[in-house]
Amino acid sequence: MNPVAENMFGLKPGTAIGKFPREVWREFELAEIFHQVFVTAEPKEREIWLDPPAKRLIKVQLTPIRMEEEGETQGVLAVIRDLTRLRHLETVRSDFVANVSHELRTPLTSIKGFIETLLDGGLSNEESARRFLTIISQETDRLNRLINDLLDLSKLESGRTELNQTRLYLAPLVEEVRQTMDARLAEKRLSFSVELGSVAVWADEDRIREVLVNLIDNAVKYTPEGGSIRIMEIGRGNEQEFIVCDTGFGIPKESLGRIFERFYRVDKARSREMGGTGLGLSIVKHIIERHKGRVWVESELGKGSSFHFTLPKYEERLDKRIEHK
Ligand code: ADP
């Protein structure tokens, strides 16, 4: 048995030498397959869950060893592959497909329902017809956002998008984003303050705009009337840390670790009502990590949240590197 196999079965080096399989493994199943292959001289393969030393799914392929075609079996060769990660990825993928289908079906069900109501006589009352059509239009917008976010995420995950990193200042970018949200800020009477200096970072302008739109949009969505939003920064060696801080609903402790997952929402109904897709923060995480930065959240329920992210500071040599290419 090689060291990798010993390790997989939690055996000390050399302990299996000179022993029968049944003496080596408590799992009778594996010892039994060795025996069968030896006796029948037929190859076999089997997937087995190991637990302990760790919960792992392995695939064992056993082949009889013979000196000549019809000769007596001398031994059995077992090749083991660890399938744990592969199986985990398969589950993640099928969960993702199930989530996407569910997310697409929800607005579609509502659109279909209102169209049927309209066809069933709802058209005669103009006021309610207008209301139904407004909902249909909103749900169509949601479908559009969802599909755009999904495409964006899939491009980021596949690593197909090149980052276009340049010397970038965040203050003008934040101002640009704030302007697009002016009406909503006024409507909710939210104060908005920006405390950013003139440190440049090394980042992709369009991608960082996306990060800011998502974080500031969330701050606006999840902060009740009269609250405040602040954008700050702290220098940390060759990194710059940015903070989007709000006095909103906050996030319960048990959700803090999951909030950057795709489709994870603390309050599904509230997020949906606000037009959320549940994908914004996972897009943010991908973009920041592509820049070799980190992103995290601190929050207290009922008090507010602060989202932090870091980006590499701009240095002249970074620009030079590009010129040399
Ligand atoms: P959504 O489209 O639902 O806003 P996100 O991925 O942007 O999706 O955020 C995921 C969830 O994290 C939200 O549904 C919300 O529950 C929570 N969240 C995000 N930002 C904030 C915030 N600033 N304050 C409170 N909760 C937040």
Side-chain angles (χ1 to χ4, degrees), residues 105-117 135-136 139:
R105 202 166 48 209
T106 317
L108 268 180
T109 309
S110 150
I111 291 169
K112 178 110 177 88
F114 284 110
I115 289 177
E116 273 168 9
T117 317
I135 299 175
I136 290 173
E139 294 292 325

Side-chain angles (χ1 to χ4, degrees), residues 218 221-222 246 251 259 264-266 271 276-278 280-281 305:
N218 278 348
K221 280 195 297 196
Y222 302 113
D246 66 52
I251 298 155
I259 201 149
Y264 186 84
R265 297 142 162 147
V266 177
S271 156
T277 61
L281 287 180
S305 318

Side-chain angles (χ1 to χ4, degrees), residues 282-295:
S282 41
I283 293 177
V284 166
K285 183 166 190 270
H286 270 286
I287 294 177
I288 296 300
E289 288 180 352
R290 281 291 299 277
H291 284 81
K292 302 209 170 24
R294 291 165 293 124
V295 56

Side-chain angles (χ1 to χ4, degrees), residues 104-325:
L104 292 173
R105 202 166 48 209
T106 317
L108 268 180
T109 309
S110 150
I111 291 169
K112 178 110 177 88
F114 284 110
I115 289 177
E116 273 168 9
T117 317
L118 284 170
L119 290 175
D120 267 356
L123 276 172
S124 49
N125 179 337
E126 196 189 321
E127 195 188 325
S128 57
R130 190 164 285 281
R131 195 158 51 83
F132 296 158
L133 285 170
T134 310
I135 299 175
I136 290 173
S137 162
Q138 285 164 351
E139 294 292 325
T140 320
D141 286 343
R142 173 202 300 289
L143 275 177
N144 234 333
R145 269 197 307 273
L146 197 60
I147 289 164
N148 283 335
D149 280 359
L150 279 170
L151 285 175
D152 210 22
L153 200 56
S154 117
K155 270 197 237 151
L156 281 165
E157 286 188 339
S158 70
R160 261 180 290 141
T161 41
E162 283 274 326
L163 283 187
N164 179 20
Q165 279 169 291
T166 55
R167 180 205 289 214
L168 183 69
Y169 295 96
L170 257 65
L173 216 50
V174 168
E175 175 54 23
E176 210 181 286
V177 175
R178 187 193 61 81
Q179 280 175 10
T180 65
M181 302 195 187
D182 247 0
R184 288 163 64 209
L185 287 167
E187 194 185 320
K188 290 181 90 174
R189 293 183 296 108
L190 298 174
S191 78
F192 191 91
S193 66
V194 183
E195 296 152 41
L196 295 178
S198 55
V199 176
V201 290
W202 182 241
D204 181 321
E205 176 171 350
D206 288 337
R207 290 305 187 181
I208 298 305
R209 184 184 294 107
E210 222 177 319
V211 166
L212 291 169
V213 166
N214 274 308
L215 293 181
I216 298 173
D217 178 66
N218 278 348
V220 174
K221 280 195 297 196
Y222 302 113
T223 302
E225 269 196 36
S228 61
I229 299 170
R230 285 169 71 196
I231 320 282
M232 297 169 287
E233 69 181 342
I234 307 172
R236 298 205 180 281
N238 51 7
E239 277 186 339
Q240 192 74 354
E241 176 182 333
F242 296 92
I243 308 164
V244 178
C245 193
D246 66 52
T247 58
F249 303 117
I251 298 155
K253 229 186 212 100
E254 64 274 14
S255 300
L256 285 176
R258 304 198 53 197
I259 201 149
F260 293 96
E261 282 174 23
R262 301 181 289 205
F263 296 122
Y264 186 84
R265 297 142 162 147
V266 177
D267 180 339
K268 276 209 176 229
R270 181 188 281 160
S271 156
R272 196 156 279 148
E273 197 184 303
M274 305 283 179
T277 61
L279 293 172
L281 287 180
S282 41
I283 293 177
V284 166
K285 183 166 190 270
H286 270 286
I287 294 177
I288 296 300
E289 288 180 352
R290 281 291 299 277
H291 284 81
K292 302 209 170 24
R294 291 165 293 124
V295 56
W296 68 98
V297 58
E298 286 163 12
S299 182
E300 203 174 326
L301 208 53
K303 292 231 166 107
S305 318
S306 54
F307 284 83
H308 302 240
F309 63 91
T310 63
L311 287 172
K313 275 187 192 158
Y314 170 78
E315 289 169 42
E316 223 162 295
R317 66 182 175 84
L318 293 168
D319 249 349
K320 294 259 163 58
R321 206 161 60 203
I322 297 291
E323 276 166 23
H324 288 161
K325 262 192 197 164

